[in-house]
């Protein structure tokens, strides 16, 4: 039973695989590096493992529901982003046509409807949480393909508020 | 301390960690507790902390914890005799205190009149001046001409601040370093104030800079007595929001402690202050202190005072509200600070991203334990942090025999803390405590502005063990670490899953 994961680390996709090697043993490959690991779940649900004689205690827990993961190890929390295709970046914005709620909050305004033409940088929606307003600006020029929320809606972090079909898109 | 329960049943008009902490104090005093919770807090930790839980509906604070009628109805229907307001929400609302009183219940806090007088900045300043408590030198009034303003400014001394009387938000505010720059700043400030507020009245205030924020915890009983529980230092702030607090202050010696305590007591006695309150001061490099304001409630940072004095402030609040005398309650109690305590406020926020507040599901919570560690928490693993309220999750309080050991204990306790699933400031707090300026006790209110790099995690490559841990969590399964949602379920066929996920993203991201 091979477990395969792919994370986006420093902008690059890193493939991580884990194969059982009998008992508590596992062979974990990070890119092209191979680690022989012994691992246990502790009774409190933490993860204890040894690599090359060094013991680590880690807490691992999901962020949202899209495969992103928090790993707390050695007193520091790391956020691992699940690697996804080139379009629809998980953070929204950044040249993406997919505009997601940056935080769980309430949709204050949606300035576009499906079929509208938008320019780069145009504010298409506003999400508010804890008295802070966050504007969602189009990362690409194009046509609004979908509006996923209406003013007054409560949306989770990562919810797609507006999706823009980039102009002149090649499939 | 007295062992008779001060009340039979008390309603806690708050949520989160402070509601949990007050319920614990009530139980310790043999008092039954009533909690109230909004629709957004149906699964919140505080809902399950009391003996009776009353739903008050609503999501936003304005339709739940701030609705006086709902709180009073809950108290009436459950037969509560008193209401503890905690901090925030209705705790400093004089109209609420009065309504509680008129409903024949006991408000565990000061009288409404004291709250009103101390709640207004101008009035509080006047009260302080009358009680011979030092205030920041300044002037707020009318003068006939520029020459009179110049003379007044020279009398106050430089550097000074010119501020709009109607003000706020920094509009019309000017810092003046030299006498010859004063009139230009005054005129520019007036123009800006007129444009912003339609009111060009200005006030002058000496600039206390660099400053430390040091406050005195006090408590008054219903018989005219007021006791000081000494100082806390809360200089580590961000936009007037405290980040780390400690007791005692590294710069307050016994003589200054006595002078500040006496000043706070004079002020409190002059308004007949009852119950817990905090007198806040700015302290300059020369050890001169200036009155800032009075917080007429239990403070977020009260645990550090409890750690070094050994008293339980919530117990005292209950006893005092029931009419007990502080002299009896504290008979034989030595309040001299012992050792050193530090509190870190754990927030759901992202320091690296402009401290953007966060909400969402806490998928895993590990809170530290050990000698000298106290966690006042309002969350648990699996809890949903609602978007509607202050995003403070918990407070981590450590005690050590001296400041250096308390700092080391805080670093270790923060390392042992995990609040995963949403961004938090835990690693930021650790960086601040490890910073040499904090470690040396060289604190000032603008220290975080001076070191903006602390907000960002050090730029390090992700070590392999992080990725190893992530994939092992999948391989080993298990309740706590198991991810939710199809995208991260362990699977026999990872490749197919990734195709599925990619397609899912490409065609609209509908969930």
């Amino acid at each position: 039973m091979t477990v395969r994961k792919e994370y986006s680390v420093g902008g690059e996709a890193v493939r991580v695989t884990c194969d059982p090697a009998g008992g508590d043993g596992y062979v974990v490959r990070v890119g092209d590096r191979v680690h022989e690991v012994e691992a246990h779940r502790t009774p409190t649900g933490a993860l204890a493992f040894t690599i090359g004689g060094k013991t680590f205690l880690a807490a691992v827990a999901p962020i949202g529901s899209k495969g992103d993961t928090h790993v707390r190890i050695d007193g520091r929390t790391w956020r691992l982003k699940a690697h996804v295709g080139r379009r629809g970046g998980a953070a929204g914005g950044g040249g993406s046509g997919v505009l997601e709620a940056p935080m769980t909050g309430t949709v204050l305004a949606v300035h576009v409807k499906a079929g509208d033409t938008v320019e780069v940088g145009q504010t298409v929606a506003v999400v508010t949480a804890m008295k802070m307003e966050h504007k969602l600006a189009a990362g690409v020029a194009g046509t609004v393909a979908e509006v996923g929320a209406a003013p007054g809606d409560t949306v989770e972090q990562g919810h797609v508020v507006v999706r823009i079909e980039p102009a002149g898109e090649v499939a | 301390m007295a062992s008779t329960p001060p009340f039979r049943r008390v309603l806690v008009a708050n949520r989160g960690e402070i509601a949990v902490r007050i319920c614990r104090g009530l139980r310790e005093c043999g008092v039954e507790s009533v909690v109230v919770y909004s629709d957004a807090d149906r699964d919140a930790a505080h809902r399950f902390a009391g003996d009776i839980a009353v739903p008050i509906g609503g999501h936003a604070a304005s339709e739940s914890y701030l609705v006086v009628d709902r709180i009073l109805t809950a108290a009436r229907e459950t037969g509560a005799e008193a209401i503890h307001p905690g901090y925030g929400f209705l705790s400093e609302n004089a109209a609420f205190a009065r309504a509680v009183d008129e409903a024949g219940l006991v408000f565990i806090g000061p009288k409404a009149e004291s709250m009103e007088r101390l709640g207004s900045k101008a009035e509080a300043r006047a009260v302080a001046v009358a009680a011979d408590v030092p205030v920041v030198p300044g002037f707020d009034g009318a003068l006939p001409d520029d020459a009179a303003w110049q003379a007044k400014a020279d009398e106050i001394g430089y550097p000074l601040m010119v501020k709009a009387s109607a003000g706020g938000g920094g509009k019309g505010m000017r810092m003046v370093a030299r006498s010859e720059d004063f009139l230009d700043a005054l005129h520019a400030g007036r123009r800006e104030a007129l444009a912003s507020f339609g009111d060009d009245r200005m006030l002058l205030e000496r600039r206390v800079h660099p400053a430390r924020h040091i406050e005195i915890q006090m408590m008054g009983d219903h018989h005219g007595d007021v006791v000081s529980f000494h100082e806390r230092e809360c200089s580590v702030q961000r936009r007037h929001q405290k980040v780390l607090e400690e007791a005692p202050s590294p710069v307050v010696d016994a003589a200054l402690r006595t002078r500040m305590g006496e000043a706070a007591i004079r002020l409190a006695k002059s308004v007949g202050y009852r119950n817990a309150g905090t007198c806040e001061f700015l302290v300059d490099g020369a050890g001169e202190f200036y009155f800032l304001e009075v917080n007429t409630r239990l403070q977020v940072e009260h645990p550090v005072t409890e750690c070094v004095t050994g008293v339980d402030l919530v117990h005292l609040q209950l006893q005092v509200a029931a009419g007990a005398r502080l002299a009896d309650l504290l008979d034989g109690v030595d309040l001299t600070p012992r050792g050193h305590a530090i509190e870190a406020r754990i927030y759901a926020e992202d320091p690296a991203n402009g401290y953007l507040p966060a909400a969402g599901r806490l998928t895993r919570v590990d809170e530290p334990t050990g000698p000298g560690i106290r966690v006042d928490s309002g969350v648990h693993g699996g809890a949903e942090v609602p978007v509607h309220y202050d995003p403070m999750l918990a407070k981590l309080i450590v005690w050590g025999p001296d400041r250096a050991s308390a700092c080391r204990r805080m670093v270790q306790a923060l390392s042992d803390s995990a609040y995963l699933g949403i961004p938090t400031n835990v690693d930021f707090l650790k960086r601040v405590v490890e910073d040499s300026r904090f470690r040396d006790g060289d604190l000032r209110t603008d220290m975080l502005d001076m070191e903006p790099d602390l907000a960002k995690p050090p730029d390090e490559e992700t070590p392999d063990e992080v990725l190893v841990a992530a994939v092992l969590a999948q391989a080993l399964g298990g309740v706590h670490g198991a991810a939710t949602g199809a995208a991260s379920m362990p699977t026999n066929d990872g490749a197919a899953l990734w195709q599925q996920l990619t397609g899912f993203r490409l065609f609209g991201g509908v969930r």
Side-chain angles (χ1 to χ4, degrees):
Chain A
M1 264 207 345
T2 301
V3 176
R4 292 186 183 83
K5 302 284 289 179
E6 204 171 8
Y7 292 109
S8 181
V9 178
E12 307 232 331
V14 177
R15 183 171 278 270
V16 191
T17 64
C18 179
D19 290 288
D24 294 326
Y26 296 86
V27 175
V28 178
R29 289 182 177 80
V30 178
D32 50 14
R33 294 183 296 282
V34 181
H35 300 284
E36 289 181 9
V37 180
E38 253 188 51
H40 312 262
R41 258 296 164 204
T42 72
T44 57
L47 197 65
F49 59 97
T50 52
I51 305 179
K54 184 168 193 288
T55 300
F56 296 93
L57 195 62
V60 180
I63 305 167
S65 55
K66 295 181 178 174
D68 291 356
T69 301
H70 263 154
V71 176
R72 184 148 184 90
I73 196 163
D74 270 346
R76 177 164 173 188
T77 300
W78 299 82
R79 182 191 173 122
L80 295 179
K81 277 178 142 7
H83 179 72
V84 290
R86 272 169 299 167
R87 289 178 50 199
S96 164
V98 179
L99 296 168
E100 301 178 346
M103 60 215 167
T104 299
T106 307
V107 177
L108 210 60
V110 178
H111 300 303
V112 294
K113 57 184 190 304
D116 284 2
T117 306
V118 293
E119 299 299 321
V120 176
Q122 182 180 337
T123 299
V124 296
V126 182
V127 178
T128 176
M130 283 162 268
K131 296 174 190 159
M132 292 187 64
E133 288 184 12
H134 193 94
K135 288 180 178 151
L136 299 183
V140 293
T143 310
V144 176
E146 180 194 340
V147 174
D153 285 0
T154 299
V155 289
E156 277 182 45
Q157 184 178 19
H159 179 89
V160 176
V161 179
V162 173
R163 189 168 60 81
I164 298 159
E165 200 59 49
E169 175 72 355
V170 281
Chain B
M1 298 221 320
S3 56
T4 333
F7 299 100
R8 195 173 68 81
R9 188 175 287 168
V10 170
L11 181 141
V12 182
N14 215 296
R15 67 178 301 280
E17 67 83 19
I18 194 62
V20 175
R21 187 260 174 274
I22 293 166
C23 285
R24 192 180 296 133
L26 288 167
R27 289 217 165 128
E28 287 165 357
C29 290
V31 182
E32 288 180 0
S33 47
V34 180
V35 294
V36 293
Y37 64 96
S38 69
D39 285 347
D41 274 340
R42 272 189 296 252
D43 297 319
H46 85 274
R47 178 195 169 171
F48 305 105
D51 296 305
I52 303 170
V54 182
I56 51 171
H59 289 83
S62 59
E63 53 188 49
S64 54
Y65 299 101
L66 288 173
V67 182
V68 172
D69 283 348
R70 290 196 199 164
I71 306 286
L72 290 178
T73 303
R76 203 176 302 118
E77 287 177 353
T78 55
E81 299 159 299
I83 296 181
H84 195 309
Y87 55 70
F89 294 124
L90 294 168
S91 63
E92 294 183 273
N93 183 320
F96 177 62
R98 199 164 273 133
V100 172
D101 196 40
E102 284 164 4
L105 307 175
V106 175
F107 179 78
I108 300 173
K111 290 178 293 184
E113 305 86 74
S114 315
M115 288 163 80
E116 275 162 353
R117 288 191 69 188
L118 298 171
S120 141
K121 281 223 165 196
E123 176 85 13
R125 187 181 157 100
V127 169
V129 170
D132 197 22
V133 172
V135 296
V136 178
F139 175 76
D140 186 3
L143 289 172
D145 54 27
D146 279 357
W149 279 98
Q150 181 74 59
K152 184 58 85 179
D154 292 347
E155 178 193 318
I156 290 165
Y158 301 90
L160 61 74
M161 302 299 294
V162 177
K163 298 181 181 179
S165 292
K171 290 284 194 318
M173 199 186 289
R174 291 284 187 286
M175 203 265 286
V176 185
R178 303 177 308 173
S179 176
E180 54 266 46
D181 298 334
F182 171 72
L183 284 178
D184 284 347
L186 180 72
H187 296 153
R190 274 182 184 154
R191 284 192 298 274
E192 209 172 293
L194 190 64
S196 300
F197 311 113
D199 180 344
D200 69 354
R201 284 176 303 151
M202 304 302 286
L203 64 85
L204 309 181
E205 205 172 80
R206 167 96 63 79
R207 185 172 191 235
V208 182
H209 185 82
R212 305 174 79 113
H213 175 116
I214 300 178
E215 59 189 29
I216 295 288
Q217 172 70 53
M218 56 192 187
M219 177 96 63
D221 66 15
H222 291 203
H223 310 278
D225 194 11
V226 178
V227 171
S228 164
F229 296 80
H230 315 308
E231 84 282 1
R232 292 184 287 258
E233 172 149 9
C234 319
S235 297
V236 185
Q237 306 182 347
R238 196 186 67 79
R239 293 197 204 149
H240 302 287
Q241 176 90 276
K242 295 163 186 168
V243 174
L244 288 157
E245 302 107 336
E246 59 185 294
S249 161
V251 292
V252 173
D253 59 15
L256 181 56
R257 180 170 300 133
T258 303
R259 278 170 54 217
M260 293 180 74
E262 284 173 355
I265 290 170
R266 277 200 305 279
L267 191 154
K269 282 189 173 171
S270 76
V271 296
Y273 196 85
R274 292 175 174 182
N275 219 289
T278 294
C279 197
E280 297 189 333
F281 297 100
L282 285 179
V283 179
D284 67 16
E288 292 301 318
F289 60 91
Y290 305 97
F291 172 77
L292 211 53
E293 62 179 356
V294 175
N295 292 136
T296 57
R297 55 170 155 83
L298 187 69
Q299 299 268 94
V300 174
E301 59 271 25
H302 76 274
V304 293
T305 298
E306 296 183 326
C307 285
V308 297
T309 61
V311 300
D312 187 301
L313 291 167
V314 170
H315 292 188
L316 282 179
Q317 282 192 291
L318 298 169
Q319 298 287 358
V320 157
R325 288 175 185 273
L326 282 166
D328 297 335
L329 296 169
L330 297 171
D331 186 29
V333 177
D334 180 6
L335 293 174
T336 312
R338 234 172 23 89
H340 202 95
I342 306 175
E343 174 181 281
R345 298 187 183 194
I346 295 170
Y347 276 94
E349 65 181 17
D350 189 357
N353 190 10
Y355 298 87
L356 192 69
R361 189 165 300 278
L362 277 168
T363 48
R364 183 175 174 95
V365 172
D366 293 310
E367 292 177 330
T369 56
I373 295 173
R374 165 176 170 180
V375 182
D376 282 16
S377 178
V379 295
H380 48 76
E384 188 76 23
V385 177
V387 65
H388 310 285
Y389 316 110
D390 182 271
M392 194 171 78
L393 304 175
K395 305 180 309 207
L396 172 56
I397 306 107
V398 299
W399 181 91
D402 52 50
R403 191 172 187 275
S405 52
C407 285
R408 288 193 294 271
R409 185 161 278 167
M410 178 58 88
V411 168
Q412 186 55 42
L414 286 166
S415 293
D416 290 343
S417 304
Y419 296 85
L420 305 184
I422 56 177
T424 73
N425 65 345
V426 170
D427 289 5
F428 162 72
L429 290 167
K430 200 174 139 197
R431 289 194 293 275
V432 177
V433 177
E434 284 177 323
D435 187 63
S436 61
R437 190 185 280 272
F438 184 86
R439 219 178 40 222
D440 297 344
D442 182 17
L443 312 178
R444 46 195 279 182
T445 52
D446 57 352
M447 64 184 286
L448 292 181
D449 298 328
M450 296 170 65
E451 300 195 49
D453 289 348
L454 287 173
K456 304 235 185 300
D459 197 14
E460 288 168 14
E461 285 209 4
T462 310
D464 272 11
E465 59 263 26
V466 173
L467 294 149
V468 169
V471 77
L472 280 174
Q474 298 296 316
L476 270 67
V479 279
H480 296 275
T484 55
S488 42
M489 292 273 272
T491 171
N492 292 337
D493 193 348
L497 173 69
W498 284 110
Q499 281 168 10
Q500 184 195 336
L501 179 68
T502 309
F504 174 84
R505 304 284 303 188
L506 276 172
F507 297 114
V510 180
R511 294 185 293 156

